[in-house]
Amino acid sequence: MKINYWLLKSEPSTWSWDDQVKAGVEMWDGVRNYQARNMMRDKFKLGDMVLFYHSNTKPPHVAGIAKVSREGYPDHTSWDPDCKYYDEKSSPDNPRWIMVDIEPVQEMKMVSLVDIKANPSLDDMPLVQRGQRLSVQPVSKEQYEEICRMGGIS
């Protein structure tokens, strides 16, 4: 079975690495971009590895390693009018949005965006490409391993 590698962004004020660790297995909901949704729906597989990235913080950084513990399924938060992720065009009969479950694997020493940008072997990561703002991004095995090495995980 081929393992894929991903980077998932979350603002720590919304959902932090510490929140993920406390929760254990938890749904990754609220993705409202079609390209990101399609990756979660079509490409995320059980056991895929995830770089858990804190965005909109100083400094932005990878905080830990997680893995996919449930493949894509309908994001029910889009059906709840009281939820901030509500989408009136989504329904149980015609779900528009997808989520996956992830679980924490290992905390790491913070790997900041500045350090990632300074590492020439990571120049091709979507994270460092101009205009790349997706909250779900593919990562190569080599990039994943380099981030792990930088974070003190061998």
Side-chain angles (χ1 to χ4, degrees), residues 52-126:
F52 192 109
Y53 184 82
H54 281 165
S55 61
N56 200 22
T57 189
K58 293 189 189 226
H61 63 278
V62 176
I65 302 296
K67 70 178 177 181
V68 175
S69 57
R70 182 177 175 190
E71 293 180 12
Y73 60 101
D75 183 342
H76 57 80
T77 65
S78 68
W79 312 328
D80 180 355
D82 295 327
C83 180
K84 67 180 176 178
Y85 300 124
Y86 176 66
D87 180 347
E88 66 184 23
K89 294 180 181 174
S90 185
S91 70
D93 294 333
N94 188 19
R96 180 176 241 173
W97 303 108
I98 299 294
M99 61 184 167
V100 298
D101 290 353
I102 66 168
E103 64 183 274
V105 173
Q106 188 170 358
E107 190 166 356
M108 65 180 1
K109 180 180 84 176
M110 180 177 68
V111 181
S112 73
L113 180 58
V114 169
D115 292 336
I116 292 169
K117 286 181 173 182
N119 185 327
S121 67
L122 301 174
D123 285 347
D124 291 335
M125 276 187 80

